[in-house]
Amino acid sequence: MKVLLPAALVLAASGAVVQAAEEPKFDYTCRIEAKRTGGWTPYQIKFSINEEDMTVLVDHGMSTPGEEGPVTAKFKRRDDETLRFKWRIGLRTSEWDIMSIGYRVDFKPETKTGMMWLAIPSGGARDGPGTLSCK
């Protein structure tokens, strides 16, 4: 007679440890106030700054086909109080094409404020620059 053991019991017996993938924790949650005529600007972004390797982990808040999860971007210091980081994602247009949209953020950690700009490759309706208010 064969006995089938549940996978969890087999892993426990073998000493293997199974851990669930952890959701990243973000240092800043920012509301974005912007003119949204094209629908390319998110209402909110979340991000964390890693000073050691000068990167930012960004949850951009947009639905991207085939690209799940946050993106990692390099940041540069613009001056003593401003960090700049950029990323590019593919977003679906109303005709179901995928358009590459560039985002740039200038962020001041001291005041938790900043600005966001978009680079949209084609003409038509544009979203205005956005103002960030972060917690």
Side-chain angles (χ1 to χ4, degrees):
M1 173 172 158
K2 287 186 178 179
V3 177
L4 298 176
L5 296 174
L9 183 59
V10 172
L11 289 174
S14 68
V17 177
V18 177
Q19 292 182 350
E22 289 186 30
E23 290 289 320
K25 297 199 182 343
F26 296 99
D27 298 330
Y28 300 98
T29 299
C30 305
R31 297 273 316 142
I32 302 168
E33 296 295 325
K35 176 182 164 190
R36 290 181 175 83
T37 57
W40 307 110
T41 304
Y43 287 93
Q44 170 179 290
I45 63 170
K46 298 176 185 178
F47 60 90
S48 294
I49 299 169
N50 184 340
E51 292 278 350
E52 291 178 13
D53 64 359
M54 296 189 69
T55 60
V56 179
L57 183 65
V58 182
D59 178 357
H60 48 75
M62 302 296 280
S63 175
T64 54
E67 299 175 29
E68 298 300 323
V71 297
T72 302
K74 290 281 189 184
F75 74 82
K76 294 182 181 179
R77 294 196 177 279
R78 299 285 299 155
D79 51 41
D80 287 343
E81 55 188 44
T82 307
L83 306 177
R84 175 174 284 175
F85 51 97
K86 303 175 186 179
W87 70 93
R88 185 170 288 280
I89 56 175
L91 297 178
R92 199 167 296 283
T93 67
S94 58
E95 288 84 29
W96 285 89
D97 296 326
I98 295 178
M99 188 180 321
S100 181
I101 309 294
Y103 293 86
R104 183 182 89 203
V105 171
D106 285 351
F107 178 68
K108 296 181 180 187
E110 291 286 322
T111 60
K112 296 182 182 178
T113 60
M115 291 291 293
M116 174 186 275
W117 292 269
L118 282 71
I120 302 171
S122 68
R126 303 286 181 158
D127 287 5
T131 304
L132 276 68
S133 301
C134 307
K135 297 190 235 179

